[in-house]
Amino acid sequence: MHLALYVIKRLLLAVPTFFFIIILIFVMIRVAPGDPAVFLAGSRGEVDLELVEKIRAKYGFDRPIYEQLVIYFGNIFSGDFGDSFIENRPALIVVMERLPATLVLILPTLIVSIVFGIAIGIYVGRGYFSKKGQIILGVSHLLFSTPLIVLGPILMLIFGIYLRIFPTSGMTTMYTGGTTLVYILNVLYHTFLPLLTISLGFYIPQLIQISAATIAEVERQDFVVTYRAIGLDERRLFNRHVFKNSLFPIVTLAGVWISYAVTGAVFTETIFGWPGIGRLMYESILTRDYNVLTLIFILTAINVEVVMIIIDVLYAIIDPRVRY
Amino acid sequence: MNLNRIKIAAIALCVTLPLIMPLFQLTHAQQPRYGGTFVRTEGYKITSLNSLMVPSPGSNARACRAIYDNLVTMNVNFEVLPSLAEEWDISDDGTVYTFKLVKNASWHDGQPFTAKDVKFTYDMIFELDDYYARTLISLVEEVKMIDDYTIEMVLSSPDATFLTNLADLYSNSQIILPEHLWNGTDYETNPHNESPIGTGPFKFSEWVRGSFLTLEANENYWRGKPYLDTYVIREFTDVSTIVAALAAGEVDHDFSAEASVVPPTESTRLANQNDDLELFLWPGTRIYHIQFNMRVAPFNDTRVRQAIAYALDRDRIVDIVTDGSQEASKHMYIEDHWATNPDVVYPDVDLEEAKRLLDEAGYPEGTDGVRMKLQFIGVQSVTSECELIVQDLTKVGIDAELIVNEWSWYVENIIEGVLQDPYAFTFAMRGGSHGPDPGKFEDYLGTGRTSGNMMNYSNADVDNLFAMGKDTADPEVRKDYYYQIQEIIYDDMPRLNWRMGTEYLLYKTEWHGLWFLNSDLGYQDMSKVWSEKGELPATPWIEVYLPYIIAAVVIVVAIAGIYSYTRYRSKGRN
């Protein structure tokens, strides 16, 4: 079947998927108990329920779901994702404002994780059944099974509180401005602990596991044994044949990570007070800021879907059997 | 000089120096130093820098305290202090307030502050009829500008809570806005909602949403330039992040108001473990209390309610959960408040009396020792106490199941729920601010005040007393009314006070001039805060060297005196 046809089919399939996802997200969020009115009313709302009712009526929280849904859909097509009730600004601006912060954290994290994870994984993979390899795998399993909400505070305690060499939270402490270079350095200084947490606790162990297993498996394939037998030197063997064949699962994994990396760092961002989208999601849940929450979920869904499409198409290009 | 004289001179020095040393102390100690950045934690998101229109969450109110001034303010003891209104007159019938404004205040953009700004602000509040700012001063009919520095406010009837409301401790909705920047603009979209211009001690510098708000000192502040250079409010989402920042010494002050974000045991632990952190406990106005649903059994019977009061070992439980830093409520109203009746106190724990009352009310012990099965609705911030309460109740045969959910659930299912279904709850823990003016207590006891009075308590005498208390401004007369109210509710026992929602204010010891340590300062007034690590102001050399000069003079005189005395003595012998 023709590649182009496959791609078009794939894209068309995405459209109804999106519709369904948006409806699902919208309804789920609003059907859950509680609404922003109580939070908006604040401490006065504690003894003044009329105020809470007024706020509810003003924003239309008490109108039936389908009505709200129709209005929301109508607005989306003109690019209006509603206003954040809490901040009284367009939800799109609220979310986009926080996006750079998350990217500043996630991109270096991914780069560092991929570099170190694959490097260590290769090292382990080549000596998979050696003691060293097994120990490293054991430690990486331990790190992966430790939840981020435990690992984060542990690292914070060691480096931030006892040793006091890294800040415990926040993205920057340059309160009164300064040169751009100093600002960048300051931000990097603040990324260290959250980066370490996510890398050690999530990405690196998985990369080690996968790359080690894949490399160990490829090394045992017939063609590798053959190449070795005819005397091809190890380095060339590795770089040209083993490594490239092992990349496939790693690339898939990394691709998926990039797609939900944006909201995947909720725990870390909250613990380390990082002003990114993950933390925004957490705050929006607490305050029932529907529009912002819906927008974040939609963005994530779009992200994931786009990456899935790319991966599907890549597979189809590489392996003709896949095109259905 | 011979040896003798030298010895004598030395002795003279030793005698005089200790008398002079205190002079050195006097000039150098406790003199405010300039400079420094003060970082405060903020546990709630700041959503707007205009607390007149958006006072909630409390973070907005707190941020605006540094940028804007009100007509009056309030100190840590809930006394009204002058602010932009330096003095005021109240007419005999209590309906006309004449405020004389300060003449040297100016806005951050340089324009002078005048009565025009006050008149405009209150016209704006009247316009925004629906907003909280208006409901807070609902009895005000008219605001007149008498001259450039005099404002007159006319009320429809006397209101003893009026000045307290103008200070607006928690919502800060009565800030004065600059007329020249707000008049004729669309209030919602005015850029000064996000880059405010006020008369306060600190000017807006930068706001990075979700991270921090930077304010810099207002050199032309009408009360005098603040000692600080910069005041930063750092936003946090998570309690553990705040605790970590405090433990690592990254912030200077933790003030999580209105139900502290950091639990009491954590604050006490931090203060104990860190030498450079101090703790100040401010009782505030929040009272945690248990409300009994008087609509249905068993709490429709006074004896059952009283039995609970006898059954709970409140002192023991509060001691456990606050690590000994707090005590359970003894009185019917805010502890140490002028309106609290000192003679009306809750009884001590007495399990026998509790059991007797329950028997009398018709709830005898069953064969399994259980008299009744109930549900106790708790509040998230005091979950551990609620668990201990439930435990205590088993001792008198009450099997209570604890149900704790978040506040929005509570509002929907308990506060609003009981209006639909009288069985929605039997008894529940509740928090809430009860002051600073005792008139606010009516929110919790008044007939028909269903938001604060979930108990369905209705006592015409109490309602009358509250009405009378509001009508007069004479504190002695008011006190008498509130004392009576407390006697009545002791007999009726519609609710049981648990403990004050005390604020745990942590601060680094290097800081002086904090508002809660000085009753001359208004609420959250940061203008007099200074750090021991700052720089002394440039003092004239005479002030700095005076003690040295005095010391030198005294020593010279002493030596000369002794010298001549010895010479006189030796001469005399000749």
Side-chain angles (χ1 to χ4, degrees):
Chain A
M1 157 137 333
H2 219 65
L3 180 62
L5 206 56
Y6 175 72
V7 172
I8 292 173
K9 264 198 163 185
R10 191 67 187 80
L11 285 174
L12 282 179
L13 187 62
V15 174
T17 315
F18 270 134
F19 259 101
F20 180 65
I21 289 176
I22 293 178
I23 295 177
L24 192 65
I25 291 173
F26 187 91
V27 172
M28 269 201 319
I29 292 177
R30 277 160 182 69
V31 159
D35 64 31
V38 173
F39 185 78
L40 283 170
S43 54
R44 288 161 6 239
E46 278 180 15
V47 284
D48 186 359
L49 283 182
E50 266 181 43
L51 178 66
V52 175
E53 280 308 314
K54 260 197 218 169
I55 294 177
R56 236 176 234 153
K58 175 175 167 191
Y59 287 108
F61 297 143
D62 43 5
R63 279 195 269 162
I65 285 275
Y66 49 84
E67 225 187 279
Q68 295 186 43
L69 183 61
V70 167
I71 298 175
Y72 188 75
F73 252 104
N75 288 337
I76 285 191
F77 286 119
S78 48
D80 173 16
F81 287 92
D83 280 349
S84 155
F85 304 121
I86 306 300
E87 294 195 30
N88 224 4
R89 295 188 300 160
L92 196 57
I93 295 183
V94 173
V95 171
M96 286 308 161
E97 231 178 38
R98 307 264 237 176
L99 189 61
T102 297
L103 290 177
V104 160
L105 177 62
I106 290 296
L107 289 178
T109 305
L110 280 173
I111 294 173
V112 165
S113 306
I114 289 175
V115 167
F116 278 96
I118 296 182
I120 300 177
I122 293 174
Y123 176 73
V124 170
R126 301 182 73 183
Y128 196 81
F129 295 103
S130 72
K131 224 197 232 173
K132 266 197 214 159
Q134 291 300 305
I135 291 177
I136 294 180
L137 274 178
V139 169
S140 88
H141 275 150
L142 185 66
L143 284 173
F144 186 60
S145 12
T146 313
L148 287 182
I149 44 179
V150 171
L151 187 59
I154 289 178
L155 289 174
M156 197 198 279
L157 199 65
I158 298 172
F159 291 102
I161 299 179
Y162 285 150
L163 297 178
R164 295 206 184 181
I165 51 176
F166 282 104
T168 62
S169 60
M171 187 168 106
T172 169
T173 41
M174 302 256 322
Y175 303 126
T176 43
T179 60
T180 316
L181 179 64
V182 177
Y183 179 74
I184 292 176
L185 287 176
N186 187 278
V187 170
L188 284 176
Y189 176 57
H190 280 80
T191 53
F192 186 78
L193 280 182
L195 191 153
L196 199 64
T197 308
I198 307 179
S199 312
L200 285 181
F202 192 71
Y203 292 136
I204 290 184
Q206 291 184 64
L207 275 169
I208 293 179
Q209 179 67 23
I210 292 213
S211 26
T214 316
I215 290 192
E217 196 229 328
V218 170
E219 290 239 339
R220 273 144 192 78
Q221 300 245 311
D222 289 343
F223 75 95
V224 174
V225 174
T226 313
Y227 270 125
R228 258 206 201 101
I230 62 172
L232 187 59
D233 68 285
E234 279 298 323
R235 230 186 66 184
R236 214 148 163 206
L237 174 62
F238 182 77
N239 289 343
R240 265 225 188 133
H241 302 284
V242 177
F243 186 57
K244 285 194 184 136
N245 278 306
S246 321
L247 267 184
F248 214 42
I250 296 171
V251 165
T252 317
L253 198 58
V256 172
W257 282 348
I258 292 175
S259 70
Y260 69 79
V262 167
T263 47
V266 179
F267 287 139
T268 316
E269 282 189 12
T270 307
I271 294 167
F272 287 98
W274 194 265
I277 292 196
R279 200 179 111 190
L280 181 65
M281 191 166 94
Y282 176 67
E283 285 170 357
S284 307
I285 293 175
L286 285 182
T287 57
R288 305 287 194 289
D289 201 348
Y290 290 150
N291 288 331
V292 173
L293 202 52
T294 315
L295 182 57
I296 294 178
F297 284 165
I298 290 177
L299 283 177
T300 312
I302 293 178
N303 251 338
V304 171
E305 186 65 19
V306 164
V307 171
M308 288 304 167
I309 294 177
I310 294 178
I311 291 179
D312 277 353
V313 170
L314 275 177
Y315 273 18
I317 292 177
I318 297 173
D319 188 351
R321 297 172 293 179
V322 172
R323 306 170 196 183
Y324 45 78
Chain B
M1 295 239 266
N2 64 23
L3 200 57
N4 251 343
R5 290 186 186 142
I6 295 175
K7 275 196 217 158
I8 292 167
I11 295 173
L13 211 67
C14 293
V15 169
T16 51
L17 265 177
L19 301 172
I20 304 171
M21 287 320 274
L23 268 176
F24 289 88
Q25 294 287 77
L26 274 171
T27 47
H28 280 237
Q30 305 312 82
Q31 191 182 14
R33 292 161 178 263
Y34 281 86
T37 301
F38 188 86
V39 181
R40 163 170 87 72
T41 62
E42 176 56 70
Y44 297 93
K45 208 165 164 179
I46 300 179
T47 63
S48 162
L49 293 178
N50 179 353
S51 56
L52 190 155
M53 289 170 64
V54 191
S56 272
S59 48
N60 298 350
R62 290 188 277 278
C64 288
R65 283 264 171 216
I67 305 171
Y68 289 100
D69 287 318
N70 299 15
L71 284 178
V72 298
T73 181
M74 202 168 237
N75 70 3
V76 65
N77 298 324
F78 307 125
E79 292 156 349
V80 175
L81 296 180
S83 182
L84 285 175
E86 57 183 6
E87 49 177 21
W88 55 86
D89 247 328
I90 311 178
S91 67
D92 286 332
D93 62 350
T95 58
V96 181
Y97 286 72
T98 312
F99 295 100
K100 292 240 182 313
L101 307 173
V102 298
K103 299 196 170 59
N104 61 338
S106 57
W107 298 98
H108 296 155
D109 63 355
Q111 296 290 324
F113 160 78
T114 63
K116 201 166 50 147
D117 299 304
V118 178
K119 171 87 172 87
F120 167 73
T121 304
Y122 280 94
D123 282 344
M124 180 176 164
I125 292 181
F126 281 17
E127 230 182 283
L128 300 171
D129 196 40
D130 250 1
Y131 285 57
Y132 180 65
R134 182 66 181 113
T135 57
L136 192 60
I137 50 160
S138 51
L139 290 180
V140 176
E141 281 182 334
E142 207 189 336
V143 175
K144 293 192 245 184
M145 180 171 144
I146 305 294
D147 62 45
D148 270 349
Y149 294 102
T150 315
I151 283 280
E152 196 180 272
M153 295 201 186
V154 182
L155 279 65
S156 54
S157 63
D159 182 0
T161 62
F162 182 57
L163 286 174
T164 307
N165 289 343
L166 282 183
D168 197 0
L169 218 56
Y170 293 120
S171 306
N172 202 13
S173 59
Q174 306 292 313
I175 52 174
I176 306 296
L177 297 176
E179 185 263 345
H180 62 281
L181 293 172
W182 286 83
N183 198 356
T185 66
D186 178 351
Y187 301 145
E188 300 258 342
T189 59
N190 188 319
H192 297 291
N193 276 314
E194 296 178 9
S195 53
I197 300 282
T199 56
F202 291 91
K203 291 195 284 201
F204 174 76
S205 176
E206 193 190 359
W207 184 17
V208 179
R209 285 188 194 249
S211 284
F212 54 83
L213 171 67
T214 310
L215 305 171
E216 51 185 28
N218 174 12
E219 293 111 38
N220 301 319
Y221 186 49
W222 55 275
R223 277 205 180 107
K225 176 182 168 189
Y227 299 112
L228 287 173
D229 285 332
T230 324
Y231 174 30
V232 176
I233 300 173
R234 245 182 93 174
E235 272 187 46
F236 290 84
T237 329
D238 209 44
V239 181
S240 50
T241 321
I242 300 182
V243 173
L246 284 163
E250 290 170 11
V251 292
D252 297 296
H253 180 34
D254 176 48
F255 173 52
S256 318
E258 290 147 61
S260 295
V261 174
V262 179
T265 42
E266 278 305 306
S267 304
T268 1
R269 183 187 64 85
L270 281 166
N272 288 337
Q273 280 181 357
N274 279 39
D275 280 330
D276 53 342
L277 278 180
E278 287 270 336
L279 181 62
F280 180 81
L281 263 61
W282 184 48
T285 60
R286 291 182 68 83
I287 306 181
Y288 285 108
H289 57 281
I290 299 178
Q291 289 200 9
F292 299 114
N293 184 353
M294 295 166 63
R295 298 173 180 81
V296 295
F299 293 114
N300 52 355
D301 188 331
T302 314
R303 290 167 295 195
V304 179
R305 304 194 294 269
Q306 288 169 338
I308 305 286
Y310 280 105
L312 294 175
D313 193 351
R314 296 164 313 123
D315 289 321
R316 188 190 111 250
I317 297 178
V318 172
D319 192 62
I320 293 173
V321 294
T322 63
D323 224 7
S325 54
Q326 269 189 258
E327 286 183 355
S329 289
K330 291 202 178 13
H331 302 94
M332 300 290 126
Y333 189 56
I334 299 175
E335 303 288 321
D336 289 332
H337 194 279
W338 59 266
T340 303
N341 192 334
D343 299 322
V344 183
V345 287
Y346 285 108
D348 285 331
V349 61
D350 187 341
L351 294 176
E352 292 313 313
E353 179 67 11
K355 290 182 189 170
R356 188 191 69 76
L357 282 164
L358 287 168
D359 283 331
E360 205 184 287
Y363 295 97
E365 244 181 58
T367 43
D368 54 354
V370 173
R371 297 172 192 269
M372 57 176 95
K373 273 189 160 53
L374 300 171
Q375 277 185 345
F376 180 50
I377 314 291
V379 167
Q380 258 185 343
S381 45
V382 290
T383 308
S384 36
E385 285 157 271
C386 295
E387 285 169 5
L388 292 173
I389 289 174
V390 162
Q391 241 181 41
D392 259 18
L393 289 174
T394 57
K395 294 187 194 149
V396 294
I398 299 179
D399 181 0
E401 183 199 347
L402 178 64
I403 301 191
V404 182
N405 282 313
E406 47 173 12
W407 179 243
S408 37
W409 172 91
Y410 192 109
V411 170
E412 234 179 86
N413 295 292
I414 309 298
I415 305 180
E416 290 175 353
V418 76
L419 298 175
Q420 324 284 356
D421 169 20
Y423 291 92
F425 80 101
T426 44
F427 62 145
M429 180 69 87
R430 182 86 190 252
S433 169
H434 287 60
D437 189 281
K440 194 146 169 52
F441 205 5
E442 196 180 359
D443 281 338
Y444 297 91
L445 294 173
T447 306
R449 303 279 183 114
T450 52
S451 313
N453 177 355
M454 314 181 304
M455 317 166 290
N456 200 32
Y457 179 61
S458 176
N459 184 315
D461 291 330
V462 168
D463 292 334
N464 270 334
L465 285 165
F466 271 122
M468 292 196 292
K470 204 167 179 233
D471 234 16
T472 165
D474 183 343
E476 284 307 309
V477 175
R478 297 186 76 203
K479 193 162 78 165
D480 185 53
Y481 294 145
Y482 296 119
Y483 276 27
Q484 286 180 48
I485 291 175
Q486 288 164 60
E487 280 166 23
I488 298 176
I489 63 172
Y490 178 78
D491 290 329
D492 289 343
M493 199 66 82
R495 53 179 260 168
L496 179 62
N497 282 357
W498 184 250
R499 66 168 169 93
M500 297 297 297
T502 304
E503 312 299 354
Y504 285 66
L505 303 168
L506 275 172
Y507 61 99
K508 280 200 184 164
T509 45
E510 73 183 79
W511 295 100
H512 298 262
L514 291 160
W515 63 273
F516 44 86
L517 299 173
N518 183 341
S519 55
D520 291 327
L521 294 174
Y523 192 65
Q524 289 172 34
D525 181 355
M526 302 293 290
S527 61
K528 297 282 179 274
V529 174
W530 58 275
S531 165
E532 284 171 9
K533 299 188 186 152
E535 288 168 8
L536 282 172
T539 41
W541 67 268
I542 183 91
E543 262 188 61
V544 177
Y545 291 109
L546 193 58
Y548 296 99
I549 296 173
I550 294 177
V553 166
V554 170
I555 290 170
V556 164
V557 165
I559 293 177
I562 291 170
Y563 183 69
S564 36
Y565 179 69
T566 51
R567 277 197 67 157
Y568 167 75
R569 280 285 300 269
S570 56
K571 261 203 174 152
R573 284 184 199 282
N574 283 355

